[in-house]
Amino acid sequence: MTNTTDDRAEDRRGAGGAVQSVDRAVSVLEILARLGEAGVTEIADELGVHKSTAFRLLGVLENRGLVGQEKERGKYYLGAGVLRLAGAAAIRLDISQEGAPVCRTLAEETGETANIAVLDGDAAVNIMQARGAAAVTAYNWLGRRTALHATASGKVLLAHLATERRERLLARKLARFTEHTIADGAALREQLESAARLGFACASEELEIGLNAVAAPVRGHDGAVIGAIGASGPAYRMTSGRLPELAESAAKAALELSRRMGFPG
């Protein structure tokens, strides 16, 4: 069915209204961050809107755990959901900062490209990189999202996910990037169990032909896996016979970075 001019105008108004609502919701959070707590009337005055509009915004934010309400006085304050979001951002920032020297050392020891990756939804994203002397490629992995099942870092992150979430991801159709990609759920589960048991994971030409990698888990202060650090390089140099040695280097780097992140182990 063809949209009329009126339909398109309504779509534009709807899009503009959605953006305005998001802007106001963010403003509510900023007001509460500045004031500590505030009532509906105060928030409405700050926003320059009717109390009913402020009340609706607060209701949505409260449902998402981003604000809470003092029941006796009716005042609103920032909720635990904000702390959760801030904590996730802080972890990513901290692991990047603390991981920089560890990543460089791993690259120097192995001669290969070293990376730190964290979970980003259903993928691994590389947030730190250092190149060793033997690295022959200038390819930049920073910021690149890669498939969890086809990379060493991704397998590490998958192996330490909560069972329900991991199974939900494995239930999907797994993309096959090369003839070596493990796209069978049962076979992949065996590798993930091995990765959890041994403390490292390997990927042999599973994302790209000619590219091999190893990675080990990075833990936070509470022991939870918050990332993976590893090395990648050409298959002719990172041979199957050399992977255990490189995996040992990755595990050592992971332990060092975990200690920097507050893990007592």
Side-chain angles (χ1 to χ4, degrees):
M1 183 174 65
T2 303
N3 284 343
T4 66
T5 301
D6 288 343
D7 289 334
R8 289 193 292 270
E10 187 173 340
D11 287 343
R12 287 194 294 272
R13 286 195 297 272
V19 171
Q20 185 181 52
S21 295
V22 172
D23 183 68
R24 285 173 173 171
V26 173
S27 295
V28 170
L29 297 178
E30 291 176 339
I31 290 167
L32 293 177
R34 173 164 49 86
L35 300 179
E37 61 178 25
V40 176
T41 301
E42 192 173 4
I43 291 171
D45 290 343
E46 288 267 352
L47 292 175
V49 301
H50 194 274
K51 279 179 62 175
S52 61
T53 300
F55 188 76
R56 284 196 300 272
L57 289 169
L58 287 162
V60 172
L61 293 170
E62 187 174 16
N63 287 338
R64 300 302 294 266
L66 297 175
V67 304
Q69 185 180 25
E70 183 69 50
K71 299 303 180 184
E72 293 182 1
R73 296 184 300 140
K75 297 278 189 176
Y76 288 88
Y77 55 87
L78 291 179
V82 173
L83 296 177
R84 183 182 68 250
L85 295 176
I91 285 174
R92 183 170 293 197
L93 178 62
D94 287 347
I95 195 174
S96 180
Q97 292 177 337
E98 294 293 338
V102 182
C103 201
R104 285 195 297 269
T105 298
L106 180 60
E108 290 169 3
E109 288 183 356
T110 62
E112 307 297 348
T113 299
N115 286 92
I116 297 173
V118 296
L119 189 67
D120 186 22
D122 61 352
V125 63
N126 293 284
I127 61 171
M128 178 57 59
Q129 175 174 292
R131 294 193 184 95
V136 295
T137 177
Y139 191 88
N140 188 359
W141 292 91
L142 279 177
R144 179 174 172 182
R145 297 176 82 251
T146 54
L148 294 173
H149 69 286
T151 61
S153 294
K155 289 178 187 178
V156 165
L157 296 171
L158 261 180
H160 293 89
L161 276 181
T163 303
E164 183 179 347
R165 186 177 180 189
R166 182 174 63 247
E167 288 303 314
R168 193 162 60 244
L169 291 172
L170 294 181
R172 301 177 180 180
K173 183 177 180 180
L174 301 175
R176 189 178 291 279
F177 300 97
T178 75
E179 61 183 312
H180 304 291
T181 305
I182 301 173
D184 175 71
L188 184 57
R189 285 184 185 88
E190 287 185 14
Q191 280 213 354
L192 298 180
E193 290 172 4
S194 176
R197 184 176 67 257
L198 298 176
F200 66 86
C202 302
S204 300
E205 300 188 275
E206 295 169 43
L207 183 66
E208 296 179 6
I209 292 295
L211 178 70
N212 286 354
V214 296
V218 177
R219 298 181 183 275
H221 66 91
D222 58 355
V225 171
I226 57 175
I229 184 169
S232 61
Y236 70 81
R237 194 168 58 235
M238 285 185 64
T239 61
S240 58
R242 192 182 172 216
L243 289 183
E245 167 201 338
L246 293 169
E248 185 176 342
S249 296
K252 184 175 71 172
L255 181 58
E256 171 60 24
L257 182 50
S258 296
R259 286 172 175 160
R260 284 171 173 260
M261 297 300 295
F263 179 59

